[in-house]
Amino acid sequence: MNRQAPTLEDVAREAGVSRATVSRVVNGVRNVDPSIQDLVRSAIERTGYTPNRAARALVTRRTGAVALIVSGAGDAFAGRVFADPFFGRVVNGVVGYLRARTMQPVLLFAESEAARRQVVDYVGQGSADGALVVSVQPDDPLPDMLLSARVPTVLFARPAGTAPVSCVDLDHYAGGRLAAERLLARGCRRVAVIGAPPDLRAGRERLAGFRDALARAGRDGPPVAEGVFTLDSGATAMGALLRDHPAVDGVFAANDLMAQGACQVLREVGRRIPQDVAVVGFDDSSVAVTCRPPLTTVRQPVEEMAAAMAGLLDEQVRGARSEPRTLLFAPELVVRESA
């Protein structure tokens, strides 16, 4: 005989409370004593009760789903996302937070104007409780579109404009400073930068921190070759730097993929790392460990930042916070073999 699924009444009986109290805990009603909440959650775990999501949605007007939107430009953007370890770390952080709260992520891409409209329609019509946005476009219109549709929204990285939206971000200026200080401490005298596109705030701030640290040490500004956060662009930029500045003995790359590309070119031309040229990356992604040699890099705590982003959205959806909030994280230098 098949055993019937546990009900609210079973949980109430196990916890020694009323059915109404169990319902309030399951539906996230906030006026329940914390000790009673713990009692009910323990009973839920013991009985194996699973809430009926459809019934719960009728009570709470929440779907239990959160849209994780990766926004960029171009038809090849989705392929680039899956090739970049940064985005995987964002997903891991978001999923880790949501799973512990029985919430589900829905991954969406907004790589064009038409795709952005589809995303806003999807979320705005109630298919998700809110939106987490990761964008590589400095002038991305998507955040404003979501806010205009009254969708609870949180961004990974501060917006370029003045939109009243919550976000998480890194102190990129401090990260650039850490990279410069490491190269200076190694005795590098002719340093160069493989930078990010200048229209990106993160790239500008990393370069500014690097330059200012050099200036405080009495050094001239470094030559800069621009990349686009890919391995190939890092290799191309390193080749240009060696051509125009053959005596370079230290390189800061604005992300680990570009640093890996730089290391490949340096090995090909017979430059030893770090004896001839020291290399510092940025992010502390999986690439930093698999690179030859393993990268010294500036750690961006992406998983923690992504979890905090999901937490800010959860507060909005539950009504626990309404005013925009910015959480700024500190970078950390991780020393390995490349510098």
Side-chain angles (χ1 to χ4, degrees), residues 53 64 91-105 310:
R53 290 193 176 275
V91 172
N92 284 340
V94 168
V95 169
Y97 179 92
L98 297 180
R99 179 180 293 145
R101 291 154 182 84
T102 64
M103 302 163 69
Q104 298 297 325

Side-chain angles (χ1 to χ4, degrees), residues 14 24 34 41 46 61 114 117 128 137 140 177 184-185 214 218 240 257 266 276 311:
E14 179 72 19
R24 286 198 295 271
R41 290 190 182 111
R46 290 195 300 273
R61 296 188 179 181
R117 289 196 299 268
Q137 244 180 298
D140 193 345
R177 188 186 69 240
L184 291 171
L214 292 184
L257 275 174
L266 290 169
D276 299 327

Side-chain angles (χ1 to χ4, degrees), residues 276-290:
D276 299 327
V277 183
V279 179
V280 177
F282 204 105
D283 282 340
D284 194 28
S285 65
S286 58
V287 169
V289 179
T290 59

Side-chain angles (χ1 to χ4, degrees), residues 157-171:
R158 286 163 286 180
T162 58
V165 60
S166 290
C167 63
V168 299
D169 208 344
L170 186 78
D171 187 343

Side-chain angles (χ1 to χ4, degrees), residues 108-180:
L108 303 173
F109 291 96
E111 74 282 2
S112 66
E113 179 61 29
R116 282 191 289 271
R117 289 196 299 268
Q118 290 174 357
V119 163
V120 173
D121 288 344
Y122 177 85
V123 183
Q125 291 172 4
S127 297
D129 296 321
L132 302 170
V133 180
V134 184
S135 178
V136 298
Q137 244 180 298
D139 56 349
D140 193 345
L142 182 61
D144 284 333
M145 293 169 67
L146 290 165
L147 293 175
S148 296
R150 300 185 180 277
V151 174
T153 301
V154 181
L155 310 183
F156 195 107
R158 286 163 286 180
T162 58
V165 60
S166 290
C167 63
V168 299
D169 208 344
L170 186 78
D171 187 343
H172 297 283
Y173 180 91
R177 188 186 69 240
L178 288 174

